[in-house]
Amino acid sequence: MPQPHLRTVVVLAAGEGKRMKSTLPKVLHPLLGRTLLGHVLSAAAPLAAERTVVVVGHGADQVRGHLSEVAPDATPVLQAEQLGTGHAVRIALDAVPDGAGTVVVINGDVPLLRPETVGALVTAHEEAAAAATVLAAEVPDPTGLGRIVRDADGRLEQIVEERDADATQRAIREINAGIYAFDAVRLRDALGKLSTDNDQGEEYLTDVFGLLRAAGEPVAVHVAVDHVETLGCNDRVELATLRRLLRDRINEAWMRTGVTLLDPATTWIDVTVALDRDAVVDQNTQLRGATVVGAGALVGPDVTLVDTVVGPAASVVRSHAVGAEVGAGATVGPYAYLRPAARLAEKAKVGTFVEVKNTQIGAGSKVPHLTYVGDATIGEHTNIGAASVFVNYDGVNKHHTVIGSHARTGADNMFVAPVEVGDGAYTAAGSVIVDDVPAGAMGVARARQRNIEGWVVKRRAGTAAAEAAQRAGEAKGAQRVGEAKGAQRVGEAKGAQRVGDAKGASAAPGTASDSEAIHGVTETVGGASGPGDTATE
């Protein structure tokens, strides 16, 4: 029965990356959910190596700190002086026990490398019982890369760095991807024979292949199916190129699983994100970290979600969320901000210009507009009025507010925590709630309005406001005068009509005199007569 292969992974992460022009070590630059180093470690993880050694150098403490978070089982080994890739691997192997098996060496700046490609390299190496196998790729432009030089029979002759290559070798487009598989015993022996007789005066790991071949040991080349996987990163321009390539790979994979991306070119999804079938992601959307989007949910346009869970059939539009949970069928936005520990239950709503932090919002409850909710619990089917503020901070400590179920709070409320509004309670618009409101009660906490007439004209004389107030006063005064004159004319007309009526009555046979008629009408108009009274009494 064949013995299982013992495997060691060595990741070369000691370089400074001068062309990045950054205080951050090159391998720690982020790329859609992981660092460059994190992507490499992820690609090697399926090998199930007995040990993983990461050679650190520039920014060693930062790299060690990162490893403790993402790969705590990895062993960092310091290369105090960067004396070449061969030197780095020799230091790495000094830190692990002697023994047989396969050693896989990977440069720390190839984030597009797939686990399948690493696995295929190792399988080909072990099945061929080779002493060393290099991963190669055919590239459109080999500038700056080491070349694979083959003999007349197509076998590997040597790997030549560009600075050491002649014109013929520089024309070769098959390049060294910087990823290798070695037999551990034969690798250790060859590393002890490396020289620094080259342009940089360093120990090249690639020289191991020439030494092994000269010793009659079998060496091999495994060609990657897609050369894009082998692309490294030396500056910010190349990093941006890798980011776009990885974005396209991720987006294509999600679309093939049944996720709709309305504009893949403006959709950025970290490798750590999970999406369910029939989720819809609209344009200009970024999904980061441990974000999860449920089946049938709509996210976007113009949305950024970081470590946020969006439930099935929920909707998040033109909003930003960090460490939040949006329940099934809930709606968020537009222009909302969910901060850490914002929790929306099923069919809850957070609307326009609303900020929520460390708050549980119950099923069916709504915070529709212009509101800050911090450190609170809101029950089910409650409505929070517009322009409300949950006053949670006293300058030293945070305090909690509780709003019950089926409550209705008025617009422009302030809830000064700690305070509780009971189930089914109401609060009046403009109230500052500092005391608990019992269940079913109406909380009113506002002063009565009083108007000080003429204050602006007296205290702000000469201002536009005072002039406007004065014009309004004059116009109103003129209106009142006009109304009074109109009333006077109406009265005079009515009086004349009554006199005429009285005179007409006196001219008829058997009628009272003019003076009696006028007197009688006057009494009647005055309302003195009752039912059955006559004007002549």
Side-chain angles (χ1 to χ4, degrees):
M1 183 175 179
Q3 294 298 313
H5 291 280
L6 300 175
R7 294 168 179 167
T8 298
V9 171
V10 176
V11 179
L12 305 182
E16 179 179 357
K18 291 181 180 179
R19 282 178 283 175
M20 297 295 286
K21 293 181 170 58
S22 175
T23 57
L24 188 68
K26 181 174 75 170
V27 296
L28 296 189
H29 278 263
L31 188 73
L32 293 181
R34 296 191 183 108
T35 61
L36 299 180
L37 176 58
H39 282 289
V40 169
L41 292 169
S42 178
L47 293 177
E50 281 68 37
R51 61 190 69 85
T52 297
V53 180
V54 179
V55 181
V56 301
H58 180 76
D61 289 342
Q62 291 174 278
V63 178
R64 287 193 192 99
H66 180 61
L67 286 173
S68 68
E69 296 175 359
V70 303
D73 293 334
T75 302
V77 173
L78 178 64
Q79 185 186 25
E81 286 186 89
Q82 279 73 66
L83 300 178
T85 51
H87 177 253
V89 173
R90 181 152 52 82
I91 290 173
L93 293 185
D94 287 344
V96 300
D98 292 342
T102 299
V103 176
V104 180
V105 179
I106 308 175
N107 283 336
D109 65 348
V110 282
L112 302 187
L113 185 65
R114 296 178 189 266
E116 298 85 352
T117 301
V118 180
L121 167 68
V122 173
T123 297
H125 168 78
E126 293 175 348
E127 288 181 350
T133 305
V134 59
L135 183 68
E138 282 278 344
V139 298
D141 180 8
T143 303
L145 303 171
R147 308 302 203 274
I148 300 294
V149 180
R150 296 178 182 260
D151 61 19
D153 296 324
R155 292 173 299 193
L156 178 65
E157 184 174 284
Q158 61 178 326
I159 302 172
V160 182
E161 299 298 321
E162 181 172 86
R163 60 177 53 88
D164 299 316
D166 58 30
T168 301
Q169 291 168 337
R170 290 189 180 192
I172 297 170
R173 293 194 299 114
E174 186 177 35
I175 59 91
N176 167 26
I179 301 158
Y180 317 92
F182 297 99
D183 173 77
V185 174
R186 287 178 279 189
L187 173 61
R188 288 179 187 273
D189 180 66
L191 287 172
K193 300 174 182 178
L194 290 178
S195 77
T196 57
D197 186 17
N198 52 58
D199 184 66
Q200 286 192 297
E202 295 181 351
E203 296 179 25
Y204 289 163
L205 181 61
T206 50
D207 287 347
V208 166
F209 286 84
L211 292 170
L212 290 172
R213 190 173 186 277
E217 299 283 4
V219 295
V221 179
H222 180 77
V223 181
V225 175
D226 182 3
H227 79 277
V228 169
E229 294 187 49
T230 69
L231 295 177
C233 175
N234 293 304
D235 58 30
R236 311 284 182 128
V237 175
E238 292 178 353
L239 182 63
T241 298
L242 295 179
R243 184 175 290 110
R244 289 193 297 271
L245 291 169
L246 185 56
R247 175 203 63 195
D248 293 344
R249 178 195 290 180
I250 293 168
N251 289 354
E252 179 180 341
W254 281 120
M255 288 188 286
R256 293 194 184 281
T257 68
V259 173
T260 296
L261 304 184
L262 297 182
D263 186 9
T266 62
T267 300
W268 299 84
I269 303 174
D270 282 359
V271 295
T272 48
V273 167
L275 298 97
D276 285 342
R277 184 176 295 183
D278 291 323
V280 178
V281 182
D282 208 336
Q283 64 184 1
N284 299 323
T285 294
Q286 301 178 65
L287 306 179
R288 298 177 177 172
T291 292
V292 176
V293 179
L298 169 64
V299 176
D302 308 318
V303 164
T304 297
L305 303 181
V306 182
D307 300 330
T308 293
V309 176
V310 178
S315 171
V316 182
V317 177
R318 289 193 170 91
S319 298
H320 190 105
V322 180
E325 291 182 12
V326 179
T331 61
V332 177
Y335 311 115
Y337 181 22
L338 303 184
R339 291 168 57 191
R343 306 282 183 262
L344 280 64
E346 181 180 6
K347 295 184 178 179
K349 176 179 180 178
V350 166
T352 307
F353 301 115
V354 173
E355 179 178 346
V356 181
K357 165 248 178 189
N358 191 29
T359 292
Q360 292 75 47
I361 299 177
S365 289
K366 300 177 181 180
V367 188
H369 0 256
L370 302 163
T371 293
Y372 169 73
V373 185
D375 298 290
T377 300
I378 299 173
E380 298 181 352
H381 304 290
T382 285
N383 189 84
I384 305 299
S388 293
V389 176
F390 286 60
V391 185
N392 56 333
Y393 185 47
D394 64 8
V396 178
N397 298 308
K398 300 290 180 68
H399 300 279
H400 201 77
T401 296
V402 176
I403 309 291
S405 296
H406 298 279
R408 300 289 183 266
T409 70
D412 195 26
N413 276 193
M414 290 193 179
F415 301 97
V416 183
V419 72
E420 181 172 351
V421 176
D423 292 349
Y426 279 55
T427 59
S431 292
V432 179
I433 303 299
V434 296
D435 296 318
D436 292 351
V437 180
M442 162 69 85
V444 182
R446 63 188 182 201
R448 284 192 171 276
Q449 177 178 328
R450 72 186 181 99
N451 299 330
I452 303 174
E453 295 288 346
W455 186 91
V456 173
V457 173
K458 293 176 183 177
R459 295 296 186 91
R460 296 293 184 266
T463 65
E467 292 172 1
Q470 194 159 1
R471 285 195 301 271
E474 290 169 353
K476 184 172 280 190
Q479 181 181 358
R480 287 172 181 155
V481 170
E483 289 172 350
K485 286 182 178 179
Q488 183 178 358
R489 286 194 295 271
V490 169
E492 291 171 350
K494 284 185 177 179
Q497 181 180 359
R498 289 167 184 154
V499 170
D501 290 344
K503 285 181 177 181
S506 66
T511 60
S513 66
D514 289 349
S515 61
E516 288 173 339
I518 292 170
H519 180 69
V521 169
T522 302
E523 287 183 341
T524 302
V525 172
S529 62
D533 288 348
T534 64
T536 58
E537 289 183 343

PDB file of all heavy atoms in Angstrom, residues 422-442:
ATOM      1  N   GLY A 422     -44.168  52.170  26.683  1.00  0.00           N
ATOM      2  CA  GLY A 422     -44.824  50.872  26.772  1.00  0.00           C
ATOM      3  C   GLY A 422     -45.558  50.448  25.516  1.00  0.00           C
ATOM      4  O   GLY A 422     -45.723  51.221  24.558  1.00  0.00           O
ATOM      5  N   ASP A 423     -46.039  49.214  25.525  1.00  0.00           N
ATOM      6  CA  ASP A 423     -46.810  48.674  24.405  1.00  0.00           C
ATOM      7  C   ASP A 423     -48.043  49.530  24.155  1.00  0.00           C
ATOM      8  O   ASP A 423     -48.744  49.941  25.085  1.00  0.00           O
ATOM      9  CB  ASP A 423     -47.261  47.245  24.702  1.00  0.00           C
ATOM     10  CG  ASP A 423     -46.111  46.256  24.750  1.00  0.00           C
ATOM     11  OD1 ASP A 423     -44.990  46.633  24.343  1.00  0.00           O
ATOM     12  OD2 ASP A 423     -46.336  45.111  25.198  1.00  0.00           O
ATOM     13  N   GLY A 424     -48.303  49.794  22.877  1.00  0.00           N
ATOM     14  CA  GLY A 424     -49.505  50.524  22.509  1.00  0.00           C
ATOM     15  C   GLY A 424     -49.520  51.981  22.920  1.00  0.00           C
ATOM     16  O   GLY A 424     -50.542  52.660  22.772  1.00  0.00           O
ATOM     17  N   ALA A 425     -48.437  52.515  23.440  1.00  0.00           N
ATOM     18  CA  ALA A 425     -48.392  53.911  23.881  1.00  0.00           C
ATOM     19  C   ALA A 425     -48.170  54.847  22.695  1.00  0.00           C
ATOM     20  O   ALA A 425     -47.677  54.452  21.638  1.00  0.00           O
ATOM     21  CB  ALA A 425     -47.294  54.098  24.918  1.00  0.00           C
ATOM     22  N   TYR A 426     -48.549  56.104  22.889  1.00  0.00           N
ATOM     23  CA  TYR A 426     -48.321  57.170  21.917  1.00  0.00           C
ATOM     24  C   TYR A 426     -47.465  58.248  22.574  1.00  0.00           C
ATOM     25  O   TYR A 426     -47.510  58.431  23.796  1.00  0.00           O
ATOM     26  CB  TYR A 426     -49.636  57.805  21.480  1.00  0.00           C
ATOM     27  CG  TYR A 426     -50.403  57.055  20.413  1.00  0.00           C
ATOM     28  CD1 TYR A 426     -50.740  55.721  20.588  1.00  0.00           C
ATOM     29  CD2 TYR A 426     -50.814  57.696  19.248  1.00  0.00           C
ATOM     30  CE1 TYR A 426     -51.466  55.027  19.619  1.00  0.00           C
ATOM     31  CE2 TYR A 426     -51.537  57.025  18.274  1.00  0.00           C
ATOM     32  CZ  TYR A 426     -51.865  55.691  18.465  1.00  0.00           C
ATOM     33  OH  TYR A 426     -52.576  55.021  17.507  1.00  0.00           O
ATOM     34  N   THR A 427     -46.723  58.985  21.762  1.00  0.00           N
ATOM     35  CA  THR A 427     -46.059  60.194  22.249  1.00  0.00           C
ATOM     36  C   THR A 427     -46.386  61.329  21.299  1.00  0.00           C
ATOM     37  O   THR A 427     -46.469  61.133  20.076  1.00  0.00           O
ATOM     38  CB  THR A 427     -44.530  60.025  22.350  1.00  0.00           C
ATOM     39  OG1 THR A 427     -44.002  59.690  21.063  1.00  0.00           O
ATOM     40  CG2 THR A 427     -44.156  58.941  23.342  1.00  0.00           C
ATOM     41  N   ALA A 428     -46.562  62.510  21.839  1.00  0.00           N
ATOM     42  CA  ALA A 428     -46.965  63.661  21.038  1.00  0.00           C
ATOM     43  C   ALA A 428     -45.786  64.225  20.255  1.00  0.00           C
ATOM     44  O   ALA A 428     -44.634  64.156  20.687  1.00  0.00           O
ATOM     45  CB  ALA A 428     -47.550  64.732  21.944  1.00  0.00           C
ATOM     46  N   ALA A 429     -46.083  64.803  19.098  1.00  0.00           N
ATOM     47  CA  ALA A 429     -45.049  65.427  18.284  1.00  0.00           C
ATOM     48  C   ALA A 429     -44.327  66.508  19.078  1.00  0.00           C
ATOM     49  O   ALA A 429     -44.930  67.224  19.881  1.00  0.00           O
ATOM     50  CB  ALA A 429     -45.666  66.025  17.023  1.00  0.00           C
ATOM     51  N   GLY A 430     -43.015  66.612  18.863  1.00  0.00           N
ATOM     52  CA  GLY A 430     -42.226  67.642  19.514  1.00  0.00           C
ATOM     53  C   GLY A 430     -41.902  67.377  20.966  1.00  0.00           C
ATOM     54  O   GLY A 430     -41.411  68.264  21.666  1.00  0.00           O
ATOM     55  N   SER A 431     -42.127  66.168  21.439  1.00  0.00           N
ATOM     56  CA  SER A 431     -41.913  65.864  22.858  1.00  0.00           C
ATOM     57  C   SER A 431     -40.475  65.426  23.129  1.00  0.00           C
ATOM     58  O   SER A 431     -39.848  64.760  22.306  1.00  0.00           O
ATOM     59  CB  SER A 431     -42.860  64.754  23.314  1.00  0.00           C
ATOM     60  OG  SER A 431     -44.193  65.201  23.318  1.00  0.00           O
ATOM     61  N   VAL A 432     -39.975  65.802  24.309  1.00  0.00           N
ATOM     62  CA  VAL A 432     -38.708  65.295  24.825  1.00  0.00           C
ATOM     63  C   VAL A 432     -39.061  64.339  25.969  1.00  0.00           C
ATOM     64  O   VAL A 432     -39.448  64.771  27.047  1.00  0.00           O
ATOM     65  CB  VAL A 432     -37.796  66.428  25.316  1.00  0.00           C
ATOM     66  CG1 VAL A 432     -36.498  65.856  25.875  1.00  0.00           C
ATOM     67  CG2 VAL A 432     -37.503  67.407  24.190  1.00  0.00           C
ATOM     68  N   ILE A 433     -38.967  63.044  25.686  1.00  0.00           N
ATOM     69  CA  ILE A 433     -39.430  62.030  26.632  1.00  0.00           C
ATOM     70  C   ILE A 433     -38.284  61.665  27.571  1.00  0.00           C
ATOM     71  O   ILE A 433     -37.301  61.050  27.166  1.00  0.00           O
ATOM     72  CB  ILE A 433     -39.937  60.784  25.881  1.00  0.00           C
ATOM     73  CG1 ILE A 433     -41.052  61.148  24.900  1.00  0.00           C
ATOM     74  CG2 ILE A 433     -40.412  59.728  26.870  1.00  0.00           C
ATOM     75  CD1 ILE A 433     -42.277  61.744  25.532  1.00  0.00           C
ATOM     76  N   VAL A 434     -38.440  62.063  28.828  1.00  0.00           N
ATOM     77  CA  VAL A 434     -37.403  61.791  29.826  1.00  0.00           C
ATOM     78  C   VAL A 434     -37.893  60.810  30.892  1.00  0.00           C
ATOM     79  O   VAL A 434     -37.084  60.288  31.657  1.00  0.00           O
ATOM     80  CB  VAL A 434     -36.918  63.088  30.505  1.00  0.00           C
ATOM     81  CG1 VAL A 434     -36.247  64.001  29.487  1.00  0.00           C
ATOM     82  CG2 VAL A 434     -38.071  63.799  31.196  1.00  0.00           C
ATOM     83  N   ASP A 435     -39.202  60.573  30.943  1.00  0.00           N
ATOM     84  CA  ASP A 435     -39.785  59.634  31.893  1.00  0.00           C
ATOM     85  C   ASP A 435     -40.506  58.528  31.133  1.00  0.00           C
ATOM     86  O   ASP A 435     -40.965  58.727  30.002  1.00  0.00           O
ATOM     87  CB  ASP A 435     -40.792  60.347  32.816  1.00  0.00           C
ATOM     88  CG  ASP A 435     -40.105  61.395  33.689  1.00  0.00           C
ATOM     89  OD1 ASP A 435     -39.005  61.102  34.192  1.00  0.00           O
ATOM     90  OD2 ASP A 435     -40.669  62.492  33.835  1.00  0.00           O
ATOM     91  N   ASP A 436     -40.624  57.376  31.761  1.00  0.00           N
ATOM     92  CA  ASP A 436     -41.307  56.256  31.126  1.00  0.00           C
ATOM     93  C   ASP A 436     -42.745  56.632  30.787  1.00  0.00           C
ATOM     94  O   ASP A 436     -43.417  57.365  31.531  1.00  0.00           O
ATOM     95  CB  ASP A 436     -41.313  55.041  32.046  1.00  0.00           C
ATOM     96  CG  ASP A 436     -39.918  54.452  32.238  1.00  0.00           C
ATOM     97  OD1 ASP A 436     -38.992  54.875  31.524  1.00  0.00           O
ATOM     98  OD2 ASP A 436     -39.763  53.568  33.113  1.00  0.00           O
ATOM     99  N   VAL A 437     -43.214  56.111  29.656  1.00  0.00           N
ATOM    100  CA  VAL A 437     -44.612  56.279  29.246  1.00  0.00           C
ATOM    101  C   VAL A 437     -45.284  54.922  29.400  1.00  0.00           C
ATOM    102  O   VAL A 437     -44.901  53.961  28.727  1.00  0.00           O
ATOM    103  CB  VAL A 437     -44.709  56.764  27.788  1.00  0.00           C
ATOM    104  CG1 VAL A 437     -46.170  56.922  27.384  1.00  0.00           C
ATOM    105  CG2 VAL A 437     -43.953  58.079  27.603  1.00  0.00           C
ATOM    106  N   PRO A 438     -46.282  54.803  30.277  1.00  0.00           N
ATOM    107  CA  PRO A 438     -46.906  53.492  30.506  1.00  0.00           C
ATOM    108  C   PRO A 438     -47.603  52.962  29.256  1.00  0.00           C
ATOM    109  O   PRO A 438     -47.939  53.717  28.343  1.00  0.00           O
ATOM    110  CB  PRO A 438     -47.927  53.781  31.620  1.00  0.00           C
ATOM    111  CG  PRO A 438     -47.466  55.047  32.252  1.00  0.00           C
ATOM    112  CD  PRO A 438     -46.831  55.841  31.166  1.00  0.00           C
ATOM    113  N   ALA A 439     -47.845  51.674  29.224  1.00  0.00           N
ATOM    114  CA  ALA A 439     -48.549  51.048  28.110  1.00  0.00           C
ATOM    115  C   ALA A 439     -49.901  51.730  27.908  1.00  0.00           C
ATOM    116  O   ALA A 439     -50.635  52.000  28.865  1.00  0.00           O
ATOM    117  CB  ALA A 439     -48.752  49.563  28.393  1.00  0.00           C
ATOM    118  N   GLY A 440     -50.206  52.059  26.664  1.00  0.00           N
ATOM    119  CA  GLY A 440     -51.489  52.645  26.321  1.00  0.00           C
ATOM    120  C   GLY A 440     -51.639  54.110  26.650  1.00  0.00           C
ATOM    121  O   GLY A 440     -52.691  54.698  26.384  1.00  0.00           O
ATOM    122  N   ALA A 441     -50.632  54.740  27.229  1.00  0.00           N
ATOM    123  CA  ALA A 441     -50.715  56.158  27.595  1.00  0.00           C
ATOM    124  C   ALA A 441     -50.249  57.039  26.444  1.00  0.00           C
ATOM    125  O   ALA A 441     -49.594  56.585  25.502  1.00  0.00           O
ATOM    126  CB  ALA A 441     -49.881  56.429  28.838  1.00  0.00           C
ATOM    127  N   MET A 442     -50.600  58.327  26.527  1.00  0.00           N
ATOM    128  CA  MET A 442     -50.069  59.340  25.611  1.00  0.00           C
ATOM    129  C   MET A 442     -49.055  60.175  26.372  1.00  0.00           C
ATOM    130  O   MET A 442     -49.378  60.797  27.389  1.00  0.00           O
ATOM    131  CB  MET A 442     -51.196  60.239  25.099  1.00  0.00           C
ATOM    132  CG  MET A 442     -50.709  61.565  24.501  1.00  0.00           C
ATOM    133  SD  MET A 442     -49.824  61.394  22.939  1.00  0.00           S
ATOM    134  CE  MET A 442     -51.203  61.384  21.795  1.00  0.00           C
TER     135      MET A 442
END
